Amino acid sequence: MIDTILRRGRVVSFNTEESQIIDIAIKEGKITAISPNLKESASQEIDLSEKLISSPFVESHIHLDSVLTAGEPRWNESGTLFEGIKIWGDRKRKISIEDVKNRALTMLKQQAAQGILFVRTHADVSEPQLIALRALLELRSEVKDWMTMQVVAFPQDGIYSHSQNEVLLEKALEMGADVVGGIPHYELTREDGVRSVKKTFELAEKYNRLIDIHCDEIDDEQSRFLEVVAAEAIRRKNGSRVTASHTTAFGSYNNAYAFKLMGFLQQAQINFIANPLINITLQGRADTYPKRRGVTRVKELWQNNLNISFGHDCVQDPWYSLGTGSMLDVAHMGVHICHMTGRDEVNACYQMVTGNGAKTLNLGNKYGVEVGKPASLIVLDAKDYYDAVRTRIQPLYVISQGKIIAATTPATTNFSSTGIIQNSSSLEKSVSLSKVL
Ligand code: FE2
């Protein structure tokens, strides 16, 4: 017996934009059939009325340990990365397992309601008790039935800035972190930065983990650790398991160097993550005019067929006090600041918060709307992916591993040119704005 059938949903091809109306059968959490007109029946059947079916959103870069702390103990008045690190240094003296878990769980539920079912979170492991890491590892197993989490052991203060940090990073891997992090541009010297990248690769090999390095998140055009990451990946032939996050300095490199580097990146085949919401605000703070946009070369990486995804990075914390966690907000900002406004480019930005993120996280068969895979998908009241980015609407349904974990009824606005609105049923000259927007 089939548990659930989703009737008359619409799938759209990324390549051709052709759409097809289909039914999806779900049994024991997996997709068992996809067909234009399934003959079987199920105990639960939902008519999707030709709404868009999509793979879920993937949050490939967020710091769940610091979410929802904006203003604690003070606001970031300069708006810089480095003031953010100082404020977090003060705030993290007061963190507890309960504090981190409560805030992170609130965020995960908010993300799930917005169609995110896969999250890679960084956990600051520069703090001697490893509280953030312990909290996020506990949460990873507690939410696994509806949310897939990857935890990065992230040495926020640098691996070599303090004698204990190298030990803490390795301990975090022994405790079960999925991914090894790094922050070479924040090490005390260029030499320490290079050494830190090598250390990250050594640990990843020793513990068989993925790599995600905060790399060159600075406007300094001399910050060139991306070439070090690429070189290590080329030598070790493990590019698909490696991610360079931020790489904002790549936006400031001279073209002669950037073009040479792009060739090495193609050899390395590493993944990239850009965080347009936060980096448009953090970067360029030392500029007068023109002010730089603070993002990496997203369009050029995409044009060179390299895998790039978008992350939210921070939500209401010392580095970014705004945000709701929506990946469509992220894609929308990416469209703007990366000059990705062409039809194919907007569709590509949608892929940067869905399939490209899945590739970065090495999700393999856990991701995608296909027979045999987990029934994890979202339903959007949008014509196509372009429309979804444009409207940034919340999903009507979020289905995780076969269960409907969130359902949203869209808000309806009534408009009356006479200025007389009594109630929706008695309006004669009103239109429903939700049909127009
Ligand atoms: Fe980050």
Side-chain angles (χ1 to χ4, degrees):
M1 182 70 181
I2 297 166
D3 300 325
T4 304
I5 295 181
L6 306 174
R7 298 271 182 206
R8 298 197 309 125
R10 195 156 42 80
V11 286
V12 177
S13 160
F14 269 113
N15 296 329
T16 63
E17 290 209 68
E18 280 174 19
S19 70
Q20 194 187 3
I21 305 302
I22 50 139
D23 297 342
I24 295 179
I26 298 169
K27 188 179 177 185
E28 292 171 1
K30 295 211 162 159
I31 297 174
T32 54
I34 300 178
S35 161
N37 194 2
L38 281 175
K39 298 282 179 273
E40 296 90 336
S41 58
S43 48
Q44 181 181 42
E45 299 212 0
I46 300 168
D47 181 5
L48 299 185
S49 306
E50 304 192 359
K51 304 296 188 212
L52 180 67
I53 291 175
S54 166
S55 295
F57 296 119
V58 178
E59 171 55 275
S60 54
H61 189 122
I62 192 167
H63 297 253
L64 285 177
D65 51 358
S66 59
V67 290
L68 310 180
T69 61
E72 300 172 13
R74 61 189 182 278
W75 294 90
N76 184 339
E77 298 296 347
S78 70
T80 59
L81 172 75
F82 301 111
E83 185 175 348
I85 292 175
K86 279 202 189 92
I87 294 170
W88 178 240
D90 292 340
R91 176 61 175 81
K92 76 182 175 188
R93 286 194 208 111
K94 292 183 188 153
I95 62 168
S96 64
I97 299 267
E98 198 183 15
D99 166 42
V100 175
K101 280 177 79 175
N102 285 344
R103 286 184 289 99
L105 183 59
T106 301
M107 195 65 236
L108 286 169
K109 288 178 183 170
Q110 203 170 305
Q111 289 173 308
Q114 298 181 90
I116 300 166
L117 295 179
F118 300 89
V119 170
R120 175 180 282 181
T121 177
H122 295 258
D124 179 357
V125 296
S126 302
E127 172 275 311
Q129 304 304 317
L130 294 176
I131 289 169
L133 179 81
R134 288 176 209 276
L136 293 175
L137 290 179
E138 279 181 26
L139 207 51
R140 182 182 66 183
S141 62
E142 288 168 20
V143 303
K144 69 177 181 358
D145 291 340
W146 53 275
M147 176 70 82
T148 300
M149 275 173 74
Q150 278 184 3
V151 180
V152 185
F154 172 48
Q156 171 78 75
D157 299 340
I159 298 175
Y160 299 113
S161 60
H162 192 285
S163 57
Q164 69 184 3
N165 290 6
E166 189 179 0
V167 177
L168 287 169
L169 179 60
E170 185 152 3
K171 194 171 170 199
L173 299 174
E174 285 164 0
M175 286 168 61
D178 305 278
V179 187
V180 198
I183 185 166
H185 59 280
Y186 196 56
E187 298 286 352
L188 292 169
T189 64
R190 159 87 194 171
E191 288 70 23
D192 281 356
V194 171
R195 196 154 65 100
S196 78
V197 170
K198 292 189 173 168
K199 183 71 186 178
T200 300
F201 274 78
E202 282 164 22
L203 288 172
E205 219 159 74
K206 181 175 173 186
Y207 290 90
N208 190 26
R209 304 293 155 84
L210 302 172
I211 291 172
D212 191 332
I213 296 175
H214 278 65
C215 189
D216 301 319
E217 189 185 8
I218 188 166
D219 291 324
D220 176 11
E221 73 282 2
Q222 294 301 317
S223 184
R224 294 183 173 183
F225 295 103
L226 179 53
E227 66 181 18
V228 183
V229 173
E232 284 298 312
I234 290 168
R235 289 184 191 121
R236 294 171 192 258
K237 299 185 176 59
N238 63 348
S240 65
R241 293 172 62 79
V242 176
T243 298
S245 279
H246 294 287
T247 63
T248 59
F250 196 2
S252 295
Y253 296 158
N254 67 73
N255 280 342
Y257 175 69
F259 292 155
K260 181 192 81 166
L261 179 62
M262 193 64 86
F264 296 157
L265 298 176
Q266 283 181 313
Q267 280 183 54
Q269 287 293 309
I270 59 174
N271 305 290
F272 295 84
I273 300 174
N275 299 289
L277 278 173
I278 181 169
N279 284 125
I280 191 71
T281 61
L282 281 183
Q283 310 309 131
R285 292 285 178 164
D287 293 353
T288 53
Y289 288 93
K291 287 180 189 285
R292 282 168 285 179
R293 293 178 179 223
V295 281
T296 191
R297 299 191 183 210
V298 171
K299 185 188 264 195
E300 291 74 15
L301 289 166
W302 169 67
Q303 288 169 333
N304 279 276
N305 295 317
L306 289 162
N307 187 51
I308 175 155
S309 62
F310 283 145
H312 206 299
D313 199 6
C314 299
V315 181
Q316 293 174 261
D317 76 2
W319 295 275
Y320 185 67
S321 60
L322 303 164
T324 65
S326 163
M327 295 317 293
L328 286 174
D329 278 355
V330 176
H332 193 259
M333 181 60 87
V335 165
H336 287 76
I337 65 172
C338 304
H339 278 174
M340 299 278 286
T341 50
R343 180 92 193 170
D344 287 350
E345 291 167 351
V346 173
N347 283 336
C349 287
Y350 189 90
Q351 284 185 293
M352 289 178 198
V353 293
T354 51
N356 292 14
K359 194 172 173 193
T360 296
L361 268 60
N362 281 238
L363 293 179
N365 279 336
K366 287 185 194 150
Y367 188 83
V369 183
E370 289 174 35
V371 172
K373 291 188 175 179
S376 296
L377 56 92
I378 59 175
V379 180
L380 297 161
D381 188 5
K383 279 187 292 195
D384 46 36
Y385 307 116
Y386 189 104
D387 202 32
V389 172
R390 184 183 70 81
T391 56
R392 290 170 281 154
I393 29 111
Q394 183 136 337
L396 297 170
Y397 295 106
V398 180
I399 298 174
S400 179
Q401 301 170 44
K403 295 188 294 286
I404 300 171
I405 62 162
T408 297
T409 306
T412 302
T413 303
N414 292 307
F415 173 79
S416 167
S417 60
T418 64
I420 301 168
I421 298 178
Q422 293 167 342
N423 61 56
S424 56
S425 59
S426 64
L427 290 172
E428 289 181 10
K429 293 181 180 174
S430 70
V431 290
S432 172
L433 285 185
S434 63
K435 300 269 190 268
V436 179
L437 290 172

